[in-house]
C-alpha cells in the first residue's frame, strides 16, 4: 500500500503534447479513476506511473520514493492489461507465479499466495490450464489474480473490462470494488466509461487533451462540475446546454425565456455563455408556475423513466420524465427547471 | 509488435541490435568501402587513386559483351518467368490442385542448390549422350548443341533458370490472386466481363503490385547470375555466357586483377541498385 | 466457381505435369544408381539394375564424406550464428519500430556476392583466417542473418506489446523477456528461420568456391571440382548431386505447408 504523487509531469512526442503539466496526489488505499475520451492521455498517464513509458518533465513518486528513471520491474506495482496479456505458453499457475519467481520469492510462499488469490477469485480449478482454454471472463480473473499475488504497493488497471460483454462487465465491476474493500490497496483505474468511473471510484481525475479538467469524488463531479466538459461527460445522459445571456443570477435564453441560475461567483457584468441543466432536473411545469415552451422531438420510453428529446428554440434538451408520462412526437411540453440546479458557463466552457 | 501510440518506450532493447550492427559493419559495410577503394586503384592496383579502372572498363570490349550478356539473360528470363509463372498460377488457382505431388513439384526446383541444377544440365543436355537429344531424336527432330552452342547457349541458360524459378513466381502470384477481393469479380461478372477480358481488364491490373514484387526478387538474382553458368559453361563457348558476375569473378580470382575486377563488380552493383529503384518507382503506378 | 466438372481430370493432368516437370530431378536420382557403362549408354536406358557403386566410389575413393561434413559444419554454424545475431536484433527492431535496419539488410541481400568476395579474401588472408572454417562461417552468416531477420520480423510484429509490458511489470529485464516470454511465443517462426537459413547456406556456392581451403571444401565445391577433372564420371557426379540435393529437399518438405502460405504472405505484403 502506498501513496502516489504526480508532480508537474509533461510528455510530448516530437511536436505533439500528450500530457501537459499534470499534478495530483493519490492517497494511501484510495481507488482513483482516470476517465476521459480516447486520446485524452489517461492510459499514457497510467503507463508513466507504471514505468512503461518515459516522460520529459516533472516527477512521479510512489510512497516517498521518486521513481523517475526506475524501470517498471523495480517499482513494485502490478498491472491488469486491457487484453490481459497472459503468457500463452504458461499454465495459469505459472502465469500467476511468474512475477514472484522473477523476484526470487521462496517456492512455499509463492504456492501460498497463488492458492490464496485463486481462492478469492474462485479460479482454483483452472490453475493447470493454459490461457487459451479459458473464457474471456476467466482470463480477466487470472489477470487480476496475477496482480493480487504480487501484493504490490499500487494496483494499476488499464481498461480491464472493455473486452467483456455488458452483463459480465457489471459483475466484474462489483467484484473489483469488493476486492478493493478487502485488500485496502491503492488502486488506479483507467476507463473511458463514465459509469464505471462513477460507480467504482473514491475520486476521479477527468482528463481532456492531456490536461486535468477536474479532480473530485463522483458526487463532487456530478454536483459541482467546474467545466462544461465535465458537466457533459459525467451523467447519463450528460448535462444539457443552451446558449444564454447571463446577467447576475438570471439567464436570458435565445427564446426570450428568463431562467434563474445558481452561480459560483457573484458577477454583475453581462456574459454571453450557456446554461446547463441535467435531464433529471427538468420536469413538467406547474400550470401556474414559471416554465419554458418546448417541442417534443424523440421519445425513448425506458420503463422506469422516459427520456424525451425536446427542442427549446435552437437548443436540444434531453429530459428525464417519470415512466408513466409518454408524450408523442410533435407535442408541446411546458417544462420547468429544479431550483438551484441550473448552472452557468462562460464562452470558454468554464463554470461561472 | 508495432501498434500503440508513437510513444517512447521506457524499456530500451536497442542494445540487442548491436551484434547485428557489428556484423554488418565488419562483413558488409567495410568490405563495400574496401571494394570501392580497390576499384579506384587502392591497395596498389593503380599507381595513384583515380578512375583508371573505370576508363579501362569503358574501352574494354569484353566488358560490353558481358554487359550485353547480363542484360539479355535478365530480360529473356524475367519475361519468360513472369508470363509462365502467371499462367501457372492462374491454372493452379482455378483447379485448386496445390497439394501432394503438385506442391512437391512446385517447391522442389527452387529449393535445389543451383549447382545441382547445373550438374543435372550437364548430364541431361550433353550433345552426344544426353537424354534431351535422345528425346529430340525420338520425336524425329535433329540433335541440338544445347550449352555448347555459341549461338543458343545463353538462351539455354535462361531456360534452365526458368525451369528452376517459374514455380516460385507462380507461388507469389498465386498468393496475390487469392488475396484479390472476390467482390470485384462479382461486380465484373455482373458488368459482363469474362474469360480473356476479365483477365486483361480486372485480374492483371489488380495483380500489378504482386507481379512487381516477383519482378524485383527475380531481377536481383538474374542480374547477379553466376552458379549455373560457372558450373556448366564457365562463360563459354567463347564468352557467349560470360555475365558481368562471371567476368568479375574470373578477373579477380583467375587473373588476380583485383582492382579492375572490383570496378566491374561496382558497376554490377549499381545496375542491380538501379533496377530496384526502377521497380520501386513503378510501385506507385501499379498499386491500387 | 464451376470447377466441379473439371476436377475429375484436373488432378491427374496436374499430377502427370508435376512428374514431367520433376523428371530432371528423377533423372538425377536414377542416374546415380546406374553402373558406369549404363549411365553413358546411348540411347539412355530406362530399365537397369540399380547399383550403389557410384556412392561407394564417391565416399570410398574421394574425400566427399569429409566435404559433406564440412557442408554441415558451415551451414549449421552459420545458421546458428545468424539466428543468435538476428533474434535479438529482430526483437529490438520490432519493439522500437526501427526502419533503417530493414534498408541496410535489404542492401546486403541485393548486393552481388562477388562484391564482398575480394575484400573478404584480402581481409581473411591478412588475418590468417583464409581457408579456415571461421571465414566461411562468417561469410555464410551474411546470408543467414538477414534472412532470419526477415522471416522473424512478422512473427515478432504479431506478438502483443502487452506481453512484453507485462513482463516488465513482472520484474524482467529485456533479455529475460525475450528468452522466457517472447521466444516461446514465436517458436514456429524460429523453426522456419532455422530451416530456411540452413537450406540457403547449404546451397550457397560462390563464397565457398573462393574462400574454402583444401580441408574445409564443402560438398558443393568438391562436386564442382569433379566436373573439372577431364573425364567426367557421370554416375559419381549424379550421386554427389543427389547427396547435396537431399538435405534441402527433406528440410523443405518439413515446412512446406508454411512455405506455400508464407511466401504468398510475403508477396502480398510486398
Amino acid at each position: 500500500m502506498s501513496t502516489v504523487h504526480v508532480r508537474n509531469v509533461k510528455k510530448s512526442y516530437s511536436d505533439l503534447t500528450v500530457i501537459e503539466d499534470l499534478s495530483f496526489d493519490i492517497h494511501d488505499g484510495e481507488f482513483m479513476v482516470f476517465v476521459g475520451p480516447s486520446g485524452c492521455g489517461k492510459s499514457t498517464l497510467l503507463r508513466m506511473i507504471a514505468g512503461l513509458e518515459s516522460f520529459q518533465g516533472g516527477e512521479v513518486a510512489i510512497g516517498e520514493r521518486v521513481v523517475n528513471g526506475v524501470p517498471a520491474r523495480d517499482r513494485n506495482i502490478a498491472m491488469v492489461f486491457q487484453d490481459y496479456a497472459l503468457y500463452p505458453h504458461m499454465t495459469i499457475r505459472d502465469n500467476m507465479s511468474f512475477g514472484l519467481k522473477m523476484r526470487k520469492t521462496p517456492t512455499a510462499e509463492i504456492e501460498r499466495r497463488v492458492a490464496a488469490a485463486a481462492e478469492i477469485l474462485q479460479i482454483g480449478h483452472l490453475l493447470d490450464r493454459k490461457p487459451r482454454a479459458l473464457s474471456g471472463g476467466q482470463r480477466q480473473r487470472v489477470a487480476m489474480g496475477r496482480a493480487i499475488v504480487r501484493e504490490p504497493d499500487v494496483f494499476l488497471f488499464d481498461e480491464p473490462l472493455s473486452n467483456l460483454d455488458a452483463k459480465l462487465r457489471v459483475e466484474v465491476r462489483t467484484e473489483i470494488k469488493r476486492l478493493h474493500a478487502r485488500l485496502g490497496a491503492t488502486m488506479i483505474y483507467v476507463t473511458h466509461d463514465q459509469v464505471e468511473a462513477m460507480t467504482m471510484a473514491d475520486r476521479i481525475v477527468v482528463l481532456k487533451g492531456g490536461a486535468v479538467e477536474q479532480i473530485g469524488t463522483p458526487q463532487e463531479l456530478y454536483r459541482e462540475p467546474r467545466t462544461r466538459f465535465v458537466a457533459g461527460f459525467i451523467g447519463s445522459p450528460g448535462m444539457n446546454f443552451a446558449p444564454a445571456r447571463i446577467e447576475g443570477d438570471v439567464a436570458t435564453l435565445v427564446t426570450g425565456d428568463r431562467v434563474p441560475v445558481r452561480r459560483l461567483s457573484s458577477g454583475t457584468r453581462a456574459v454571453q455563455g450557456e446554461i446547463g441543466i441535467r435531464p433529471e432536473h427538468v420536469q413538467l411545469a406547474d400550470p401556474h408556475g414559471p416554465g419554458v415552451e418546448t417541442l417534443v422531438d424523440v421519445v425513448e420510453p425506458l420503463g422506469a423513466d422516459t427520456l424525451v428529446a425536446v427542442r427549446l428554440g435552437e437548443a436540444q434538451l434531453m429530459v428525464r420524465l417519470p415512466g408513466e408520462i409518454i408524450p408523442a412526437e410533435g407535442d408541446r411540453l411546458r417544462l420547468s427547471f429544479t431550483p438551484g440546479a441550473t448552472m452557468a458557463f462562460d464562452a470558454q466552457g468554464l463554470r461561472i | 509488435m508495432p501498434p500503440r501510440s508513437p510513444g517512447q518506450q521506457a524499456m530500451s532493447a536497442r542494445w540487442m541490435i548491436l551484434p547485428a550492427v557489428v556484423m554488418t559493419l565488419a562483413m558488409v559495410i567495410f568490405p563495400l568501402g574496401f571494394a570501392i577503394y580497390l576499384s579506384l586503384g587502392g591497395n596498389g592496383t593503380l599507381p595513384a587513386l583515380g578512375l583508371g579502372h573505370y576508363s579501362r572498363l569503358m574501352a574494354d570490349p569484353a566488358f560490353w559483351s558481358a554487359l550485353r550478356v547480363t542484360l539479355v539473360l535478365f530480360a529473356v528470363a524475367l519475361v519468360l518467368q513472369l508470363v509462365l509463372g502467371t499462367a501457372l498460377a492462374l491454372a493452379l488457382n482455378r483447379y485448386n490442385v496445390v497439394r501432394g505431388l503438385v506442391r512437391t513439384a512446385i517447391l522442389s526446383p527452387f529449393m535445389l542448390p543451383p549447382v545441382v541444377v547445373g550438374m543435372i544440365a550437364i548430364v541431361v543436355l550433353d550433345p552426344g549422350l544426353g537424354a534431351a537429344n535422345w528425346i529430340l531424336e525420338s520425336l524425329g527432330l535433329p540433335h541440338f548443341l544445347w550449352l555448347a552452342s555459341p549461338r543458343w547457349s545463353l538462351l539455354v541458360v535462361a531456360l534452365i533458370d526458368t525451369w528452376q524459378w517459374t514455380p516460385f513466381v507462380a507461388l507469389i502470384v498465386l498468393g496475390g490472386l487469392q488475396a484479390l477481393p472476390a467482390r470485384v469479380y462479382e461486380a465484373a461478372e455482373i458488368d459482363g466481363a469474362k474469360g480473356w477480358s476479365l483477365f486483361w481488364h480486372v485480374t492483371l491490373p489488380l495483380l500489378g503490385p504482386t507481379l512487381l514484387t516477383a519482378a524485383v526478387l527475380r531481377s536481383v538474382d538474374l542480374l547477379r547470375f553466376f552458379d549455373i553458368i560457372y558450373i556448366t559453361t564457365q562463360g563459354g563457348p567463347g564468352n557467349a555466357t560470360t555475365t558481368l558476375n562471371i567476368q568479375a569473378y574470373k578477373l579477380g580470382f583467375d587473373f588476380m586483377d583485383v582492382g579492375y575486377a572490383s570496378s566491374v563488380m561496382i558497376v554490377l552493383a549499381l545496375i542491380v541498385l538501379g533496377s530496384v529503384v526502377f521497380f520501386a518507382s513503378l510501385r506507385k503506378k501499379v498499386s491500387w | 466457381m464451376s470447377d466441379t466438372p473439371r476436377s475429375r481430370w484436373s488432378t491427374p493432368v496436374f499430377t502427370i505435369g508435376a512428374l514431367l516437370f520433376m523428371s530432371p530431378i528423377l533423372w538425377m536420382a536414377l542416374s546415380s544408381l546406374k553402373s558406369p557403362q549404363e549411365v553413358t549408354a546411348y540411347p539412355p536406358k530406362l530399365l537397369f539394375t540399380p547399383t550403389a557403386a557410384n556412392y561407394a566410389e564417391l565416399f570410398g575413393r574421394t574425400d566427399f564424406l569429409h566435404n559433406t561434413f564440412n557442408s554441415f559444419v558451415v551451414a549449421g554454424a552459420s545458421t546458428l550464428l545468424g539466428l543468435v545475431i538476428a533474434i535479438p536484433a529482430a526483437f529490438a527492431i520490432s519493439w522500437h519500430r526501427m526502419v533503417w535496419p530493414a534498408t541496410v539488410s535489404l542492401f546486403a541481400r541485393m548486393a552481388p556476392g562477388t562484391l564482398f568476395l575480394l575484400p573478404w579474401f584480402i581481409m581473411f588472408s591478412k588475418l590468417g583466417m583464409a581457408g579456415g572454417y571461421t571465414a566461411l562461417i562468417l561469410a555464410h552468416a551474411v546470408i543467414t542473418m538477414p534472412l532470419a531477420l526477415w522471416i522473424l520480423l512478422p512473427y515478432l510484429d504479431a506478438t502483443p506489446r502487452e506481453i512484453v509490458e507485462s513482463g516488465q511489470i513482472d520484474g524482467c529485464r529485456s533479455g529475460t523477456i525475450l528468452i522466457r516470454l517472447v521466444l516461446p511465443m514465436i517458436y514456429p517462426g524460429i523453426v522456419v528461420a532455422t530451416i530456411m537459413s540452413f537450406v540457403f547456406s547449404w546451397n550457397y556456392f560462390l563464397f565457398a568456391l573462393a574462400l574454402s581451403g583444401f580441408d574445409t571444401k564443402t560438398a558443393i565445391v568438391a562436386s564442382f571440382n569433379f566436373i573439372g577433372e577431364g573425364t567426367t564420371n557421370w554416375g559419381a557426379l549424379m550421386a554427389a548431386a543427389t547427396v547435396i540435393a537431399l538435405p534441402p529437399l527433406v528440410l523443405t518438405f518439413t515446412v512446406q505447408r508454411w512455405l506455400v502460405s508464407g511466401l504468398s504472405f510475403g508477396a502480398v505484403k510486398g
Side-chain angles (χ1 to χ4, degrees), chain B residues 5 17 20 24 37-38 43 54 78-79 82 85 97-98 106-108 117 123 130 165 174 196 206 221 261:
Chain B
S5 55
I17 203 177
T24 307
Y37 174 68
L38 287 172
N43 223 25
Y54 291 96
L78 184 66
V79 169
L82 287 182
V97 284
V98 188
I106 290 170
L107 289 174
S108 302
V117 175
V123 170
W165 288 98
L174 184 61
W196 181 248
L206 287 176
D221 279 352

Side-chain angles (χ1 to χ4, degrees), chain C residues 198-215:
Chain C
F198 188 90
V199 170
F200 272 67
S201 176
W202 178 275
N203 288 358
Y204 212 87
F205 172 56
L206 181 62
F207 295 165
L209 177 68
L211 296 176
S212 62
F214 185 75
D215 285 333

Side-chain angles (χ1 to χ4, degrees), chain B residues 33-84:
Chain B
F34 196 60
I36 294 172
Y37 174 68
L38 287 172
S39 79
L40 294 173
N43 223 25
T45 64
L46 279 182
L49 283 190
L51 293 173
H53 290 310
Y54 291 96
S55 47
R56 180 178 154 199
L57 203 64
M58 292 297 125
D60 185 351
F63 165 76
W64 292 107
S65 156
L67 179 63
R68 194 187 63 86
V69 168
T70 302
L71 294 180
V72 167
L73 178 61
F74 158 75
V76 171
L78 184 66
V79 169
L80 274 177
Q81 291 171 22
L82 287 182
V83 170
L84 295 176

Side-chain angles (χ1 to χ4, degrees), chain B residues 2 6 10 37 43 45 56 87-88 106 114 145 166 168 190 193 215 217 219 268:
Chain B
Y37 174 68
N43 223 25
T45 64
R56 180 178 154 199
L88 180 58
I106 290 170
L145 278 177
T166 296
F168 173 79
I190 290 167
L217 292 173
S219 301
L268 175 57

Side-chain angles (χ1 to χ4, degrees), chain B residues 196-225:
Chain B
W196 181 248
S197 72
L198 184 68
F199 172 74
W200 198 248
H201 294 294
V202 179
T203 309
L204 198 59
L206 287 176
L207 278 180
T210 310
L211 287 171
L212 201 58
T213 303
V216 173
L217 292 173
R218 288 313 301 140
S219 301
V220 170
D221 279 352
L222 284 168
L223 290 169
R224 304 182 298 184
F225 209 96

